[in-house]
Amino acid sequence: MLIGEVARRSGVSARMLRHYDSLGLVRPSGRTGSGYREYSGDDIRRIFHIESLRSLGLSLRDVGRALDDSGFEPSELVDDLIRRTRERIADETALLTRLRRIGAAEPADWENVLQIVGLLQSLGSKSAGTRQRAALSAVGEVPVEVLAEAALREADPHVAGALRWALARSGGDGPALLAEGLDATAAEVRTRAVRSLAEIPGDEATALLRDALGHTDVVVRGYAALALGARGVADAVPTLVDMVVGEADDVDAADVLGTLARRPALADRIAVLLVERLEGGTLEASARRRLAQALADVPGETASAALEGLSHDDDRAVALTAAYVLRIRAGDLSTP
């Protein structure tokens, strides 16, 4: 069969058949009486083998090895094809994501498109300074989804702070997108999610932080409690008390409890919870000292009575701390 007929029947162009011939992949094995090269049945079967292998993504070099190298290992080639296919899919997915983000930003013209593309590239830069500048410029320029994803993956504390600032001013679906990060496998991602939520104002973020008080991750619970306490949410009180006892951001937790205790309706509740922790079991001296310090800013007789008891504690440091707090509450700062 001559090259034109082979091309017509196989769907492989005559030009590509000549290329195969030049590479030694398929060389016509016969000749006509006029001297033209003629493809045999075996040659045509080899052409179809080549096309089948190419459809899997093999290069012509790999096709030749697969057909002619007796020591060729198909499994290695398949593994390599899987790897390259995954890389290609990842690249194409990244491109699709970028295009969707550009579309979501509703660019007005090509200049706007180029600006958005530049910001997206800067947010993914290896330079922390470049990422930080991009975050500070991104409010209203890129979809909030972009900022949320960047905040969840950002390890640099300065860039992370800039991204949280941008998210707090972007509105939209930011809280819901960050809430997805609370279920991440990586602890650092969960921490970034709750810290970002803590800086977003509004009822939606507050509701998500309330839910986070029941999270299995103690760090997430702690950040949520501090943020809620600063917003005046009483639900945070038990977790804040736990933080004081457990020495997890205990100073910040005690400060927030003190602020909440300025509300008469909460002061006694906070004092009772702190006293219950003192009476509920044997605490180390360091924990009793932290509780004494936390009681300092809680008004009322319940707190004062607890401090009076602690002023006689067997541990000298606890007793001195409680006695000092009592003198402050009485307005007596003279040297004992």
Side-chain angles (χ1 to χ4, degrees):
M1 191 180 296
L2 298 180
I3 188 170
E5 182 69 10
V6 173
R8 186 178 65 82
R9 295 195 177 189
S10 67
V12 181
S13 69
R15 181 178 179 182
M16 183 59 74
L17 289 171
R18 292 190 184 96
H19 186 50
Y20 290 169
D21 188 356
S22 69
L23 295 175
L25 286 173
V26 184
R27 285 179 173 156
S29 54
R31 289 199 180 260
T32 67
S34 305
Y36 291 104
R37 291 186 174 185
E38 187 174 33
Y39 288 85
S40 67
D42 287 341
D43 296 334
I44 294 172
R45 279 192 290 274
R46 185 175 172 92
I47 290 171
F48 282 112
H49 287 160
I50 291 171
E51 292 305 299
S52 296
L53 291 171
R54 285 189 65 202
S55 71
L56 296 176
L58 270 69
S59 66
L60 290 177
R61 179 182 177 184
D62 287 337
V63 168
R65 290 175 56 219
L67 293 175
D68 300 328
D69 185 353
S70 60
F72 182 76
E73 292 290 342
S75 60
E76 293 181 7
L77 178 61
V78 171
D79 288 342
D80 186 54
L81 283 173
I82 291 172
R83 177 186 59 78
R84 283 189 280 173
T85 301
R86 284 175 173 166
E87 290 175 353
R88 186 174 67 254
I89 291 172
D91 290 341
E92 292 178 352
T93 301
L95 174 60
L96 178 60
T97 299
R98 179 172 292 183
L99 290 171
R100 284 175 172 167
R101 288 170 176 172
I102 293 171
E106 300 180 349
D109 49 38
W110 279 111
E111 183 177 348
N112 195 202
V113 169
L114 294 175
Q115 179 185 6
I116 296 167
V117 170
L119 279 172
L120 292 175
Q121 291 174 335
S122 295
L123 286 170
S125 171
K126 293 182 179 180
S127 166
T130 299
R131 297 197 304 277
Q132 184 176 24
R133 288 190 294 273
L136 296 173
S137 304
V139 179
E141 300 297 331
V142 299
V144 68
E145 176 187 3
V146 176
L147 293 174
E149 289 180 359
L152 291 177
R153 69 170 180 263
E154 184 57 61
D156 184 280
H158 302 295
V159 183
L163 286 166
R164 292 196 297 270
W165 176 88
L167 275 168
R169 286 155 181 78
S170 293
D173 296 329
L177 293 167
L178 290 170
E180 295 177 7
L182 295 176
D183 296 324
T185 302
E188 60 270 21
V189 175
R190 298 195 297 269
T191 299
R192 292 168 194 153
V194 71
R195 291 192 66 183
S196 297
L197 274 173
E199 295 190 22
I200 295 179
D203 294 340
E204 183 181 4
T206 298
L208 291 168
L209 288 168
R210 284 179 190 268
D211 292 340
L213 288 174
H215 203 283
T216 56
D217 187 332
V218 64
V219 175
V220 170
R221 294 200 303 271
Y223 276 114
L226 290 172
L228 289 168
R231 300 180 189 204
V233 178
D235 292 353
V237 170
T239 302
L240 292 169
V241 172
D242 288 341
M243 293 169 70
V244 171
V245 175
E247 201 175 7
D249 290 323
D250 56 287
V251 174
D252 291 336
D255 287 343
V256 174
L257 284 172
T259 301
L260 288 170
R262 294 172 189 168
R263 293 162 54 183
L266 283 180
D268 195 56
R269 177 185 173 187
I270 292 171
V272 168
L273 285 174
L274 290 170
V275 171
E276 285 179 351
R277 296 307 299 269
L278 282 168
E279 298 175 345
T282 303
L283 293 176
E284 293 183 358
S286 58
R288 297 198 301 279
R289 185 169 64 251
R290 291 192 297 274
L291 285 168
Q293 292 166 341
L295 285 163
D297 294 325
V298 180
E301 290 301 319
T302 301
S304 295
L307 286 166
E308 177 62 31
L310 286 170
S311 68
H312 303 289
D313 195 273
D314 292 337
D315 184 270
R316 179 173 172 77
V318 174
L320 288 174
T321 298
Y324 179 71
V325 170
L326 283 170
R327 290 201 306 276
I328 293 176
R329 291 166 72 89
D332 178 13
L333 297 181
S334 59
T335 304

